[in-house]
């Protein structure tokens, strides 16, 4: 089985981080995996996206052009990639930043106000992790506890506050009923 | 019988290819004497450049590397950084050092590479046959400034020691000449100091030596020496432009 | 738990260099290879090495030459425009028979071009990097794992054959992350560097590292000797991966990231019943001529897929030598071909068989 994912939004939203977490967990689970970022002159505020492929087979082209899962975290990304999602795939939209509704009926669309949820819960900047929580619930790609453990693996214990924030964000996203 | 004059051991026993009256031979000898006096031939790596001194790898009895035009200080950097306890020197002419290799010269100087640069300034491109150099004097006739160097067209000559003396990484910047016994003695003193500075890891040392090119200047060897005194030295005054021993307590910043 | 680490291709090259004992890097920043120097800037001081940022690519390659000339294992890296600047130094390094590793994480050209992935420096790497009769060992990794493995190979073969080796990758391979297993580093018997200019300690005759031979006959002799070595390398060091070529009517030839795009397309074409396979050159010089010659005997057509306007196709045609038609599909400017587009081309070729 192969799952192709595309995470897209503004630079600074943690788009690349989200993709990396999926790739890491897949690697720890013994899958083949690739993570390919867009790169360019904009470090902050410009368009950012990354392709992630998780597969039981050898990964061919690492560039995702028609994803099984699309995470859209801003309007330009939504406009650019909404039509590219494979039939039967998933589209997860940060509805606090994107005020459009997909007219597609052949995909599963989920609207989650991740940015608003983050600020209501005083975890600004964690919208990307909230979305990851929702993604886990929708796709069942990884076991929740395993994914959380993988995500926290790289954070030193001295940064306890960051660990708490990540935990809270993932939980919020997972439990949100879209 | 007591030997009072001999070839320095660090100078190879081969005929030099330089033209009659050219002062490269004197300068080679001074470098070899300095290497002998410090007893470092076995620890020294020289870098030959492109120009008349391109064959200097044949003339010094130490390991030698031949570099591309202008790149000797970068090559020397690579050698010195991987062999910090060896002595590394470059032997470069004015075209090599002050035209095509300006960036490599300035940046190795400002980094404070612990190397010695022997800079032979004869105000002309010798190897290629007498073209204008970055150090060609205003009014000086060369094959590419046939009406004399016109500052409004060909720009101004560059004073290397003055320029490099503004850089923090430089331990020693001195201009000397080999036109007289007295000046030869002073040149030797500076070259020796430039090598010693490496031992003490003081920073980059450059000794600029005003040199003659009777062939391409189109004068006799004797007249060439006169021209050094009458025209070159006034434009390129001799002296120590920077010496951290005297001003900064012993090491370049 | 897996031994693997998730790394960018650029970082994998850097880590591989450290793992096989390289302690010196000289470079200059350029997208999309910068992570390589950043990684080494962090790591080298911790292993007693040095990562020095030069004032230019020109200086960086000459520092690399100095280190190599004095017998030190050394690496430099850049991307396309920077490799053009390094060309002079690479020619001198080849002319002095010095081993070192040069990394090119290619981007679109010519000129400033772009910063997205490209393979348009194929000619430069295999034909025209620097003046004079010279060759580089050219390795073309197609995964992050290979970025690491081939870096180690490049160091060893450069030492064995006393010549510069290049890792020719691209922006996608440099930037992407994949799991890497460094495993055990193969330990080869390497020749002593008794030619190095590192100070003779009054124990041997002086060494001269030089590329100047003013007597034409002497220079011809030196170049001839070097070409004898090149001939031996062509005989023994050409490497490629053969993928489903046995029964293939159509054989693709593709390297680096593009070969992966082709694998995806081949999978799809096979599912449609089209007999298609691929030869993936792992060394671009020496080029795996024999494998392609053999494939051309049984294939009905071949297809070169590249991120350029068609450069490697010249080598493919030379190897095929008229045995079957050789077609081309490529994208340029930083565009990565899609598997669908390659599949479309395969279908069109199948229809012509």
């Amino acid at each position: 089985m192969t799952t192709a994912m595309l995470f897209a939004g503004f630079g600074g939203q943690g788009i690349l981080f989200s993709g990396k977490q999926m790739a890491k967990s897949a690697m720890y689970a013994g899958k083949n995996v690739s993570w390919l970022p867009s790169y360019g002159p904009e470090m902050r505020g410009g368009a950012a996206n990354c392709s992630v492929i998780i597969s039981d087979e050898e990964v061919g082209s690492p560039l995702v052009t028609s994803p099984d899962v699309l995470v859209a975290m801003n309007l330009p990304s939504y406009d650019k990639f909404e039509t590219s999602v494979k039939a039967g795939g998933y589209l997860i939209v940060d509805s606090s930043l994107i005020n459009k509704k997909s007219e597609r009926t052949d995909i599963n669309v989920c609207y989650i106000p991740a940015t608003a949820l983050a600020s209501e819960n005083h975890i600004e900047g964690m919208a990307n992790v909230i979305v990851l929580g929702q993604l886990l619930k929708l796709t069942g790609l990884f076991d929740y506890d395993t994914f959380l453990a993988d995500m926290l693996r790289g954070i030193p214990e001295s940064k306890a506050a960051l660990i708490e924030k990540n935990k809270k964000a993932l939980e919020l996203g997972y439990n949100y009923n879209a | 019988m007591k030997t009072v004059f001999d070839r320095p051991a660090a100078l190879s026993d081969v005929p030099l290819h330089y033209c009659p009256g050219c002062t490269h031979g004197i300068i080679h000898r001074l470098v070899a004497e300095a290497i002998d006096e410090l007893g470092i031939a076995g620890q020294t790596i020289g870098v030959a450049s492109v120009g008349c001194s391109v064959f200097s790898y044949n003339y010094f009895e130490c390991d030698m590397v031949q570099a591309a035009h202008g790149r000797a200080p970068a090559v020397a950097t690579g050698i010195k950084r991987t062999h910090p306890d060896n002595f590394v020197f470059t032997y470069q002419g004015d075209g090599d050092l002050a035209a095509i290799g300006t960036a490599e010269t300035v940046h190795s100087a400002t980094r404070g590479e612990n190397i010695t640069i022997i800079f032979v300034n004869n105000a002309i491109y010798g190897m290629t046959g007498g073209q204008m150099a970055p150090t060609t004097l205003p009014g000086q006739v060369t094959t590419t400034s046939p009406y004399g160097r016109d500052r409004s067209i060909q720009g101004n000559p560059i004073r290397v020691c003055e320029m490099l003396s503004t850089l923090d990484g430089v331990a020693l910047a001195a201009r000397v000449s080999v036109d007289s016994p007295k000046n030869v003695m002073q040149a030797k003193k500076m070259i020796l100091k430039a090598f010693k500075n490496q031992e003490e890891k003081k920073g980059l040392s450059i000794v600029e030596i005003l040199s003659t090119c009777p062939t391409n200047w189109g004068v006799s060897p004797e007249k060439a020496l006169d021209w050094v005194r009458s025209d070159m030295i006034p434009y390129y005054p001799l002296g120590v432009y920077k010496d951290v021993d005297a001003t900064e307590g012993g090491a370049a910043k | 738990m897996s031994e693997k680490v998730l790394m960018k291709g650029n970082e994998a090259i850097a880590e591989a260099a450290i793992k096989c004992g390289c302690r010196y890097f000289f470079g200059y920043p350029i997208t999309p290879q910068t992570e390589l120097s950043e990684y080494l800037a962090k790591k080298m001081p911790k292993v007693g090495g040095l990562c020095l940022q030069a004032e230019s690519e020109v200086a960086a390659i000459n520092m690399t030459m100095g280190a190599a000339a004095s017998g030190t294992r050394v690496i430099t890296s850049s991307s396309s425009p920077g490799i053009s600047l390094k060309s002079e130094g690479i020619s001198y390094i080849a002319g002095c028979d010095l081993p070192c590793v040069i990394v090119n994480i290619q981007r679109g050209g010519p000129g400033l071009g772009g910063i997205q992935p490209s393979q348009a420096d194929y000619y430069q790497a295999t034909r025209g990097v620097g003046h004079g009769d010279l060759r580089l060992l050219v390795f073309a990794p197609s995964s992050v794992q290979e970025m690491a493995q081939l870096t180690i190979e490049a160091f060893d073969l450069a030492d064995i054959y006393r010549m510069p080796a290049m890792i020719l990758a691209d922006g996608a391979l440099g930037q992407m992350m994949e799991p890497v297993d460094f495993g055990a580093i193969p330990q080869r018997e390497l020749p002593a560097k008794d030619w190095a200019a590192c100070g003779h300690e009054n124990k041997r005759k002086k060494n001269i590292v030089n590329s100047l031979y003013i007597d034409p006959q002497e220079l011809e002799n030196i170049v001839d000797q070097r070409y004898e070595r090149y001939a031996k390398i062509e005989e023994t060091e050409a490497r490629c991966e053969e993928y489903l070529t046995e029964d293939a009517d159509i054989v693709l030839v593709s390297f680096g990231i593009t070969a992966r795009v082709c694998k995806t397309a081949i999978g799809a074409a096979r599912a449609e019943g089209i007999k298609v396979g691929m030869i993936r050159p792992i060394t671009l010089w020496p080029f795996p001529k024999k494998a392609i010659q053999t494939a051309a005997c049984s294939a009905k057509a071949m297809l070169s897929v590249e991120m350029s306007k068609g450069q490697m196709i010249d080598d493919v045609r030379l190897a095929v030598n008229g045995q079957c038609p050789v077609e081309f599909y490529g994208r340029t400017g930083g565009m990565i071909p899609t598997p669908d587009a390659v599949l479309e081309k395969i279908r069109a070729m199948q229809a012509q068989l």
Side-chain angles (χ1 to χ4, degrees):
Chain A
M1 200 184 100
T2 298
T3 309
M5 301 194 261
L6 190 61
F7 298 82
F10 292 123
Q13 279 182 315
I15 297 293
L16 303 187
F17 174 85
S18 292
K20 204 167 144 182
Q21 288 313 314
M22 296 307 285
K24 265 193 178 171
S25 260
M27 179 179 75
Y28 293 140
K31 305 274 188 188
N32 291 308
V33 54
S34 71
W35 173 95
L36 176 71
S38 62
Y39 59 91
E42 304 111 335
M43 298 294 278
R44 291 274 180 275
N49 69 67
C50 66
S51 295
V52 176
I53 297 176
I54 298 171
S55 183
D56 296 315
E57 322 292 324
E58 192 182 339
V59 177
S61 173
L63 183 66
V64 173
T65 47
S66 43
D68 299 299
V69 179
L70 169 65
V71 169
M73 302 266 302
N74 69 1
L75 189 59
S77 300
Y78 175 91
D79 288 341
K80 192 171 173 187
F81 298 119
E82 184 245 353
T83 54
S84 71
V85 181
K86 265 186 215 154
Y90 294 89
L91 164 60
I92 305 171
V93 174
D94 184 345
S95 55
S96 11
L97 302 175
I98 301 164
N99 58 3
K100 278 191 184 170
K101 299 279 178 199
S102 173
E103 287 173 13
R104 287 184 64 172
T105 53
D106 62 335
I107 58 172
N108 308 293
V109 190
C110 157
Y111 302 94
I112 176 168
T115 301
L117 281 173
S119 65
E120 281 162 20
N121 288 277
H122 311 291
I123 48 171
E124 280 82 3
M126 301 300 282
N128 60 332
V129 179
I130 292 175
V131 168
L132 282 180
Q134 182 69 201
L135 193 159
L136 285 188
K137 185 164 83 172
L138 286 177
T139 62
L141 269 170
F142 298 103
D143 168 66
Y144 181 89
D145 292 328
T146 312
F147 186 84
L148 178 64
D150 289 343
M151 193 167 76
L152 301 182
R153 216 191 256 200
I155 308 175
E157 279 184 29
S158 57
K159 292 189 175 172
L162 191 61
I163 293 174
E164 282 315 306
K165 275 186 179 181
N166 274 287
K167 271 187 185 169
K168 193 172 172 183
L170 197 71
E171 197 181 330
L172 266 173
Y174 192 85
N175 293 330
Y176 182 81
N177 290 311
Chain B
M1 195 192 293
K2 195 185 163 207
T3 304
V4 292
F5 188 82
D6 203 359
R7 182 179 50 78
L11 195 63
S12 303
D13 189 10
V14 294
L16 305 186
H17 72 284
Y18 300 109
C19 304
C22 167
T23 42
H24 262 304
I26 298 173
I27 300 162
H28 277 32
R29 184 184 170 92
L30 296 180
V31 171
E33 282 180 357
I35 291 171
D36 279 1
E37 279 173 38
L38 296 170
I40 56 170
Q43 291 74 47
T44 299
I45 301 136
V47 183
S49 62
V50 172
C52 280
S53 58
V54 68
F55 295 118
S56 61
Y57 55 78
N58 285 328
Y59 303 147
F60 294 107
E61 280 303 297
C62 57
D63 280 359
M64 295 291 296
V65 179
Q66 207 290 313
H69 201 20
R71 318 297 177 220
V75 172
T77 297
I79 299 170
K80 186 71 180 190
R81 291 297 187 118
T82 54
H83 295 79
D85 296 327
N86 284 72
F87 292 82
V88 180
F89 76 94
T90 70
Y91 191 106
Q92 302 173 259
D94 42 62
D96 191 271
L97 181 141
I100 196 167
T102 312
E104 285 79 2
T105 302
V106 169
H107 283 275
S108 59
T110 199
R111 280 194 306 268
E113 298 296 340
N114 279 299
I115 59 172
T116 298
I117 293 181
I118 305 297
F119 169 38
V120 178
N121 177 4
N122 61 7
I124 205 156
Y125 281 77
M127 181 68 136
T128 47
Q131 293 76 30
M132 186 184 72
T135 50
T136 290
L137 294 180
Q140 187 182 341
V141 173
T142 71
T143 60
T144 50
S145 57
Y147 309 109
R149 182 177 191 154
D150 180 343
R151 292 187 205 223
S152 71
I153 297 169
Q154 287 119 341
N156 299 293
I158 187 165
R159 293 187 180 95
V160 170
C161 276
E162 288 85 334
M163 175 176 72
L164 295 186
S165 67
T166 66
L167 301 174
D168 284 348
V170 174
L172 174 72
R175 184 180 293 121
V176 297
S177 169
V178 287
D179 65 294
S180 68
K182 182 174 159 248
N183 281 342
V184 170
M185 301 293 279
Q186 172 66 7
K188 166 74 181 296
K189 197 175 138 196
M190 286 299 128
I191 290 169
L192 196 61
K193 189 175 173 66
F195 275 92
K196 269 190 183 159
N197 283 349
Q198 287 196 53
E199 203 159 40
E200 293 149 35
K201 299 196 185 337
K202 287 183 176 172
L204 184 132
S205 300
I206 178 167
V207 183
E208 173 177 348
I209 301 139
L210 301 185
S211 186
T212 60
C213 184
T215 302
N216 288 302
W217 291 355
V219 295
S220 70
E222 201 190 344
K223 286 262 163 56
L225 291 172
D226 286 342
W227 195 76
V228 168
R229 288 185 281 264
S230 62
D231 290 70
M232 281 189 83
I233 292 176
Y235 201 91
Y236 300 111
L238 305 183
V240 177
Y241 288 86
K242 186 172 182 190
D243 180 359
V244 288
D245 283 340
T247 55
E248 289 162 33
K253 271 180 209 159
Chain C
M1 201 176 85
S2 170
E3 296 284 312
K4 292 178 172 175
V5 280
L6 195 63
M7 269 189 148
K8 285 192 167 196
N10 285 333
E11 296 168 342
I13 290 175
E15 182 61 32
I18 291 177
K19 285 233 160 35
C20 68
C22 173
R23 291 292 176 271
Y24 294 92
F25 172 89
F26 302 96
Y28 185 84
I30 184 170
T31 306
Q33 68 79 49
T34 306
E35 292 81 5
L36 204 163
S37 50
E38 287 173 343
Y39 188 92
L40 290 175
K42 257 191 187 167
K43 285 286 182 86
M44 279 301 195
K46 295 186 176 165
V47 295
L50 171 75
C51 171
L52 188 63
Q53 184 166 318
E55 63 272 25
S56 68
E57 294 294 358
V58 176
I61 192 69
N62 281 285
M63 292 173 186
T64 303
M65 174 173 159
S70 50
T72 307
R73 189 164 259 209
V74 59
I75 186 169
T76 184
S77 74
S78 190
S79 176
S80 309
I83 298 294
S84 293
L85 283 168
K86 285 186 192 295
S87 293
E88 175 201 54
I90 294 172
S91 175
Y92 280 73
I93 289 168
C96 291
D97 298 312
L98 297 176
C100 68
V101 174
I102 301 144
V103 180
N104 182 1
I105 304 296
Q106 295 167 95
R107 53 187 256 186
L112 207 45
I115 57 170
Q116 298 303 320
S118 165
Q119 296 176 329
D121 299 348
Y122 181 92
Y123 278 155
Q124 186 193 46
T126 61
R127 307 274 198 285
V129 63
H131 57 283
D133 281 315
L134 69 94
R135 291 295 192 180
L136 302 184
L137 293 159
V138 184
F139 295 89
S142 90
S143 65
V144 175
Q145 178 70 41
E146 272 193 351
M147 293 283 252
Q149 270 167 356
L150 293 179
T151 298
I152 294 164
E153 284 296 299
F155 273 112
D156 282 356
L157 292 192
D159 278 347
I160 289 167
Y161 293 109
R162 274 188 70 180
M163 64 187 288
M166 178 176 276
I167 303 292
L168 189 71
D170 64 75
L173 282 166
Q175 294 293 323
M176 71 190 277
M177 286 204 280
E178 286 184 318
V180 191
D181 182 355
F182 285 93
I185 306 295
Q187 294 292 329
R188 275 206 184 84
E189 187 82 24
L190 296 174
K193 296 182 173 178
D194 52 7
W195 42 263
C198 52
H200 55 57
E201 303 285 344
N202 303 312
K203 287 173 188 157
R204 57 163 167 78
K205 282 180 71 180
K206 71 169 179 175
N207 283 335
I208 302 175
V209 175
N210 175 37
S211 62
L212 176 66
Y213 299 91
I214 212 81
D215 172 12
Q217 188 56 64
E218 195 185 359
L219 180 57
E220 186 182 45
N221 295 346
I222 293 278
V223 173
D224 281 349
Q225 282 166 23
R226 198 171 289 131
Y227 267 70
E228 280 167 26
R229 203 161 8 119
Y230 290 169
K232 191 182 155 210
I233 295 167
E234 288 199 271
E235 199 56 45
T236 56
E237 301 294 349
R239 293 177 203 185
C240 65
E241 177 196 356
E242 296 199 36
Y243 181 68
L244 305 176
T245 49
E246 230 161 64
D247 65 338
D249 293 327
I250 300 171
V251 173
L252 275 53
V253 184
S254 191
F255 67 96
I257 197 77
T258 317
R260 298 173 55 146
V261 174
C262 289
K263 269 193 185 172
T264 304
I266 288 167
R270 286 259 168 190
E272 293 177 11
I274 304 175
K275 287 179 179 173
V276 54
M278 176 173 68
I279 293 175
R280 175 173 74 88
I282 295 171
T283 53
L284 300 179
W285 192 89
F287 192 68
K289 287 177 206 167
K290 282 179 193 160
I292 289 171
Q293 269 161 9
T294 308
C297 292
S298 53
K300 293 176 182 159
M302 300 191 75
L303 170 66
S304 187
V305 183
E306 307 171 45
M307 286 196 291
S308 73
K309 294 304 284 180
Q311 300 189 11
M312 179 181 67
I313 190 172
D314 288 359
D315 283 330
V316 177
R317 283 198 173 121
L318 284 168
V320 168
N321 199 18
Q323 298 253 36
C324 67
V326 181
E327 297 204 23
F328 177 73
Y329 179 76
R331 296 293 300 275
T332 192
M335 299 299 295
I336 302 176
T338 63
D340 286 347
V342 177
L343 176 62
E344 200 53 49
K345 179 73 186 174
I346 293 169
R347 283 184 189 137
M349 286 174 71
Q350 174 74 10
Q352 299 288 314
L353 292 183

